[in-house]
Amino acid sequence: MIVVPPEHLNEELLTALIEDFITREGTDYGHGEFDLEGKVAQVRRQITQGKVLITFDEDTESCSLLPKRDFENWQKVAGES
């Protein structure tokens, strides 16, 4: 699995990836309800802050969003294999 810098994606593709993640994952956004636009903005901020990473899995040839701590845990497990 590799990390894809967000600046390597055009705006339309990045937005589509974020929207797919939001609708697929049923992500928890804390207190209150957010519309899709608000959720996209929140996830985009997390990507900009480095809290969420864009990943590409070479085996499945798919992109996904992954919290940084989950990616770091995956690296540790993958390194032990």
Side-chain angles (χ1 to χ4, degrees):
M1 188 177 326
I2 60 172
V3 174
V4 178
E7 58 272 8
H8 287 194
L9 303 178
N10 68 40
E11 200 60 35
E12 185 177 315
L13 181 56
L14 180 58
T15 299
L17 185 60
I18 294 170
E19 288 176 354
D20 179 65
F21 172 77
I22 291 167
T23 57
R24 182 173 28 103
E25 297 294 328
T27 307
D28 181 15
Y29 294 89
H31 300 292
E33 290 293 318
F34 291 88
D35 61 4
L36 182 61
E37 186 176 298
K39 291 176 185 178
V40 167
Q42 187 172 2
V43 172
R44 189 180 300 273
R45 275 192 302 278
Q46 292 173 339
I47 292 170
T48 301
Q49 296 167 346
K51 295 178 181 178
V52 171
L53 303 175
I54 302 166
T55 61
F56 178 74
D57 185 324
E58 296 166 316
D59 293 333
T60 62
E61 297 183 354
S62 63
C63 283
S64 190
L65 301 180
L66 198 59
K68 184 177 181 178
R69 68 183 175 278
D70 291 351
F71 180 77
E72 289 168 346
N73 290 335
W74 173 83
Q75 282 182 309
K76 289 177 188 173
V77 171
E80 293 172 1
S81 299

